Amino acid sequence: MSIAIEDVVKQVRDLPSLPAVVTELLTSMQNEDVDLQSLCRKITLDQALTAKTLRLANSSFYGMASKVTTIQQAMSILGFRSIRTLLTACSVTGAFPAVAGGSFDFQTFWRHSVATAVAAQKLAPLLHVNPDTAFTAGLLHDIGVLVLATRFREPYDATLAYRREHDSYMVSAEQAVLGIDHTVVGSALIAHWRFPPEMQQAVAQHHSVHTPEMAALTMVVQAGNALAHALDLSGIDDDLAPALPMPVWDALALDDADSAVLFAAIETAFADMCQILVSN
Amino acid sequence: MIEPTRDIALDQASAGMILTAELRDAGGAVLLPAGAVLSESMLGGLARRGIATVSVVDDRASEHDNAALEAEREATRERHCARLALLFRHSASNDVGAQLLARLTHYRRSV
């Protein structure tokens, strides 16, 4: 059943490119000098993106008294950074439409991805990481799972069966059955999509043991993933909360009071983001 | 249904009270939404973030309902703790796993 990395790279090259407007947004990640008017026009041309942007602006999270009806209004309320995060998220979810059959559950996959994104976003300030970058990296951290589940369906069904039978972590099941795991596959896709290198490391190393070279963003994603499982946000019956490397836990330095506010903030933001991103 | 509400100082607030308005920090970011149930540890966290007053549901008139409500909450807490034990079945023996489990158990029990 084992899968060669060459086959993975070939499959990844065949995946659709991200929409041009998203590539443009990604290249602007380090650059705040963006033409907002032209961006608004481009969003307006895409009906699905427009609907999702307005849904975010009107969500309870922003608590606006009156209804937001135009992209220009949404931009002034949410800010450019939130819009960029949202559009990236929508495009990534759009690149992998759900396919029927097989034992892979797309809904559960996206719930866990959104939960990790939100948890990473809320954890980010603790390690001085940009919350928007953390959100995107969290959303993408398991993207390799989607490549495996959609491009290598039969081997992946066998992996899921192995995981259930051995009650193991998904990454261990992948290594046992496929000889490759979703962190390797995911970072190949992130490189193909030309996301920033720090995001590639976060995807590649979110299950790795700690090293002194590990970037703060990677630690935030590791912790976000652990909290998404531990707060039971993914909706998987036999889910497993992973342990975190000690240096990551120590760096976060959460006491009971901080944790309670953080956990509540993650649960609230998760409910909002699910409505926007997962439902159609 | 519109809940009767009262504004109280943070040091008058106690666990189990329900917010009727969201709480925002000095920067305008939402800390807790309306409808959130306050816990002891949240109160400590809010004090540290400079929150002075909170708006909560005024339930002083319905003392007799509180016993039934408390029983229901206890059942929910038990369910949550059993679920946590299941989620941490592989990681609770690890040092960090055990600490994270303790934080979550505290969080679930204090609601």
Side-chain angles (χ1 to χ4, degrees):
Chain A
M1 282 280 179
S2 73
I3 295 175
I5 184 71
E6 293 77 23
D7 291 337
V8 170
V9 169
K10 189 173 166 297
Q11 288 295 335
V12 161
R13 286 211 190 104
D14 289 344
L15 280 169
S17 316
L18 294 176
V21 60
V22 177
T23 316
E24 198 174 311
L25 285 170
L26 284 170
T27 50
S28 77
M29 282 262 182
Q30 335 295 358
N31 167 19
E32 294 307 304
D33 182 26
V34 177
D35 180 355
L36 292 185
Q37 279 196 332
S38 107
L39 181 64
C40 284
R41 271 198 305 277
K42 283 176 190 157
I43 297 171
T44 311
L45 289 176
D46 188 319
Q47 212 175 352
L49 290 183
T50 303
K52 284 181 169 165
T53 308
L54 293 180
R55 214 186 292 166
L56 176 68
N58 286 305
S59 73
S60 57
F61 195 71
Y62 291 92
M64 299 303 293
S66 57
K67 205 153 170 56
V68 178
T69 53
T70 69
I71 291 295
Q72 283 76 9
Q73 282 174 316
M75 190 77 86
S76 66
I77 292 158
L78 303 174
F80 169 62
R81 287 161 160 275
S82 302
I83 300 257
R84 180 169 62 192
T85 308
L86 176 78
L87 295 191
T88 314
C90 290
S91 315
V92 169
T93 56
F96 290 95
V99 286
S103 43
F104 184 72
D105 183 343
F106 282 84
Q107 179 89 11
T108 302
F109 173 84
W110 284 118
R111 279 180 65 85
H112 173 66
S113 298
V114 171
T116 305
V118 167
Q121 183 184 41
K122 301 291 174 194
L123 287 162
L126 298 176
L127 297 185
H128 310 290
V129 168
N130 177 330
D132 301 298
T133 309
F135 182 95
T136 307
L139 189 81
L140 293 169
H141 79 291
D142 270 349
I143 199 81
V145 170
L146 271 190
V147 177
L148 291 171
T150 58
R151 306 282 143 162
F152 302 92
R153 281 178 62 178
E154 279 181 28
Y156 210 69
D157 281 352
T159 311
L160 292 168
Y162 179 99
R163 190 198 93 80
R164 274 192 302 274
E165 193 185 324
H166 293 81
D167 191 33
S168 67
Y169 292 104
M170 199 62 218
V171 65
S172 320
E174 289 166 354
Q175 284 157 359
V177 177
L178 309 173
I180 200 169
D181 70 53
H182 67 268
T183 63
V184 177
V185 179
S187 71
L189 177 56
I190 293 297
H192 174 67
W193 275 346
R194 298 178 191 285
F195 278 60
E198 55 167 357
M199 225 172 264
Q200 199 181 331
Q201 192 206 63
V203 172
Q205 299 185 7
H206 73 270
H207 288 301
S208 302
V209 293
H210 188 78
T211 60
E213 292 76 38
M214 190 172 271
L217 178 66
T218 305
M219 292 160 69
V220 163
V221 171
Q222 286 194 335
N225 175 54
L227 281 186
H229 287 293
L231 285 167
D232 207 8
L233 298 176
S234 315
I236 304 166
D237 282 344
D238 59 350
D239 202 2
L240 278 171
L244 274 174
M246 183 66 89
V248 177
W249 178 253
D250 287 343
L252 293 172
L254 288 169
D255 63 16
D256 269 336
D258 287 334
S259 310
V261 172
L262 177 74
F263 295 161
I266 292 171
E267 288 180 325
T268 308
F270 173 68
D272 268 332
M273 285 314 286
C274 267
Q275 281 198 333
I276 296 158
L277 290 175
V278 180
S279 66
N280 281 303
Chain B
M1 188 179 80
I2 295 168
E3 299 272 15
T5 185
R6 60 180 171 134
D7 294 340
I8 55 173
L10 185 65
D11 56 12
Q12 302 292 306
S14 58
M17 289 181 172
I18 300 166
L19 291 181
T20 52
E22 68 194 7
L23 287 177
R24 289 175 182 261
D25 67 14
V30 176
L31 293 171
L32 291 172
V37 182
L38 293 175
S39 69
E40 283 301 338
S41 39
M42 278 180 205
L43 292 171
L46 292 174
R48 229 180 291 167
R49 283 169 174 76
I51 299 293
T53 57
V54 293
S55 304
V56 295
V57 173
D58 188 355
D59 59 357
R60 285 169 295 186
S62 57
E63 290 277 320
H64 60 280
D65 291 339
N66 288 352
L69 200 62
E70 184 45 42
E72 201 178 300
R73 282 194 191 134
E74 181 55 28
T76 307
R77 284 193 287 261
E78 288 305 323
R79 214 171 43 245
H80 281 148
C81 289
R83 178 69 183 155
L84 278 175
L86 182 77
L87 290 172
F88 280 81
R89 65 193 178 278
H90 287 354
S91 53
S93 56
N94 163 292
D95 195 7
V96 175
Q99 291 187 50
L100 180 58
L101 175 58
R103 294 277 183 281
L104 282 150
T105 305
H106 181 87
Y107 174 62
R108 296 291 188 213
R109 290 216 69 89
S110 63
V111 170

